[in-house]
Amino acid sequence: MSKIKPLRPPVFLGAEVETQTPADVSESTSNIIAFGVELIVAGLDRSSPTAAISHVKKLLEEINLSNPKDRLPDLVITSPDKTHAIDYVALSLPSTLTTEPRPDLLIDVWQALQKYDFLSIDWRPSSGADRRRRIWYQAPVDSTLSNLKQTIDSFLDTRGIEHLPGFYMRNLNRVTYDIIRFQDVSDLLNTPIPFSNKLIFPLQSRLIRPYYGVECCLVGVQSIQNIKSHIDAYIHQTYGTNAIAHSQLALDDDVYCVVFNKPEIAMRFLNDPFSAFSNLPNINHFIRVSPPMFIYNYNNMGCPTNSFLNKTLQPALSSDPSMDLLNEKINNISTNCDRAIAHQTHKIEGNSALIRG
């Protein structure tokens, strides 16, 4: 087993990120449970369902052989699909290595793998398949899914677009595909398919790209003016002036995202009562943001809009008969969102391997 390095402040790779003043990071002694401290490595061999794991193991072995005095940490390598040949794996740290979330150790792995320019590396945004390359086509009400799938299969094959076999989500009346090349995803999202006298565009689930492991978020802040500065100030006052490594707004400024300099601060932020608006009674009474959560978990839920918003608006609207139609629309949106989240499927975890540094 490789010797574990001391905890270090966040480093942001793969994106232009403006960081705040880094803090001195000391080793924590408490056990911290975190989700989504994983890398996703794409661009690997996909000649068989196990080829990607074998390929990345070979690359990691090459790196360790070339740097015997600074070997990479032990890693768990997981293929999210045990049936199909895919070009990516997830890399995480084994629980035997450390009881703390250590995204800084995975940064070492990321930096080492950057020498292979055919790879695409990022923080894994959610469990299951790579949702950055997953699209779906919504079937018209009067159409059968099988006919739609045949049309899409022909469309993709004619254009030479590589993809995994499409599958039905019958409860949502859609056909879903995992596309191999990122560029094809971008092109498809702008290309409708003629079907049943309609033009059908593919869709994607909402997703937030994490900038670092153990990144947290709050949902439902869009309508609050200067919200980022306000929450930043609250965090600085509550957890220290150097608590934040980076913060931003995402999804049309409705989600506040924050990376802390220490994982233990992230856990305190998640577990403490969130009272940033206690001195703003108008906001505190009428607008309820979500509890803090990991971005990884929020992505797993499909990035829904804040359910608290409907609960807050409903009593005020129901007292006005002229707002019945708006009430009905709000209820429909909430129901559809909950239904989509409840029926999310196709999350397969398998083909795992442990590689020693």
Side-chain angles (χ1 to χ4, degrees):
M1 179 183 296
S2 56
K3 183 179 179 181
I4 189 169
K5 297 179 180 179
L7 181 66
R8 290 156 290 167
V11 173
F12 301 98
L13 299 178
E16 294 295 329
V17 173
E18 183 177 341
T19 60
Q20 300 190 20
T21 304
D24 294 331
V25 180
S26 58
E27 199 72 43
S28 172
T29 57
S30 61
N31 291 338
I32 299 175
I33 298 176
F35 297 91
V37 188
E38 303 174 79
L39 297 179
I40 184 168
V41 180
L44 297 163
D45 179 18
R46 55 179 295 264
S47 58
S48 74
T50 60
I53 285 182
S54 298
H55 191 186
V56 78
K57 287 174 67 174
K58 179 181 178 181
L59 300 180
L60 293 168
E61 289 168 0
E62 288 178 358
I63 292 169
N64 283 328
L65 286 174
S66 63
N67 298 278
K69 294 184 179 180
D70 188 22
R71 297 173 64 85
L72 296 175
D74 299 345
L75 293 168
V76 176
I77 306 174
T78 304
S79 173
D81 193 327
K82 62 183 179 182
T83 303
H84 303 106
I86 58 176
D87 73 335
Y88 61 93
V89 298
L91 303 182
S92 59
L93 301 173
S95 58
T96 53
L97 181 66
T98 173
T99 58
E100 314 290 345
R102 291 295 305 272
D104 58 307
L105 296 180
L106 290 177
I107 285 290
D108 292 341
V109 178
W110 186 336
Q111 290 175 322
L113 287 171
Q114 282 183 321
K115 64 184 290 186
Y116 303 105
D117 57 9
F118 54 85
L119 294 180
S120 170
I121 310 166
D122 214 332
W123 292 104
R124 192 181 186 190
S126 64
S127 63
D130 185 358
R131 285 171 49 202
R132 301 172 302 171
R133 291 183 277 177
R134 172 165 288 186
I135 62 174
W136 78 78
Y137 292 84
Q138 193 72 42
V141 176
D142 57 349
S143 303
T144 63
L145 286 174
S146 59
N147 289 340
L148 176 59
K149 185 175 182 299
Q150 290 176 6
T151 300
I152 300 170
D153 286 344
S154 176
F155 177 86
L156 297 177
D157 293 343
T158 299
R159 286 157 178 77
I161 295 176
E162 293 184 274
H163 60 89
L164 300 186
F167 60 93
Y168 301 127
M169 299 185 74
R170 295 186 184 277
N171 54 306
L172 298 176
N173 205 35
R174 66 176 58 156
V175 186
T176 301
Y177 290 84
D178 290 316
I179 307 300
I180 301 302
R181 293 187 294 265
F182 284 100
Q183 184 57 50
D184 286 340
V185 175
S186 300
D187 294 341
L188 286 171
L189 290 174
N190 295 304
T191 307
I193 292 180
F195 179 75
S196 188
N197 297 319
K198 297 180 177 68
L199 291 177
I200 301 179
F201 281 89
L203 300 169
Q204 278 192 308
S205 296
R206 293 181 1 138
L207 192 73
I208 297 177
R209 178 194 177 189
Y211 282 130
Y212 199 65
V214 204
E215 188 168 354
C216 303
C217 69
L218 293 159
V219 185
V221 303
Q222 185 179 51
S223 57
I224 308 174
Q225 190 174 7
N226 299 322
I227 185 61
K228 180 180 177 298
S229 298
H230 184 82
I231 298 179
D232 283 351
Y234 164 79
I235 291 174
H236 290 150
Q237 182 178 6
T238 307
Y239 303 106
T241 55
N242 290 329
I244 298 175
H246 172 70
S247 65
Q248 63 164 349
L249 297 178
L251 297 184
D252 298 322
D253 294 343
D254 192 44
V255 182
Y256 171 85
C257 308
V258 59
V259 177
F260 293 98
N261 274 308
K262 301 179 183 180
E264 62 193 50
I265 299 179
M267 299 311 300
R268 289 173 57 195
F269 180 70
L270 293 175
N271 294 320
D272 291 347
F274 183 72
S275 57
F277 308 126
S278 59
N279 62 334
L280 301 172
N282 290 336
I283 291 178
N284 201 39
H285 180 71
F286 291 106
I287 299 179
R288 302 285 184 86
V289 300
S290 73
M293 67 186 83
F294 289 118
I295 284 181
Y296 184 88
N297 290 348
Y298 183 55
N299 281 336
N300 279 337
M301 291 188 287
C303 296
T305 55
N306 189 11
S307 61
F308 285 110
L309 185 59
N310 182 46
K311 294 178 181 178
T312 304
L313 286 175
Q314 191 67 30
L317 294 176
S318 60
S319 62
D320 184 351
S322 67
M323 300 300 287
D324 287 345
L325 180 59
L326 183 55
N327 271 330
E328 182 180 351
K329 290 183 178 180
I330 292 175
N331 282 329
N332 287 339
I333 292 171
S334 179
T335 300
N336 290 337
C337 183
D338 292 341
R339 184 165 170 252
I341 296 167
H343 291 287
Q344 277 206 327
T345 57
H346 203 63
K347 292 179 179 178
I348 306 171
E349 296 289 345
N351 289 357
S352 296
L354 171 64
I355 183 169
R356 300 289 184 183

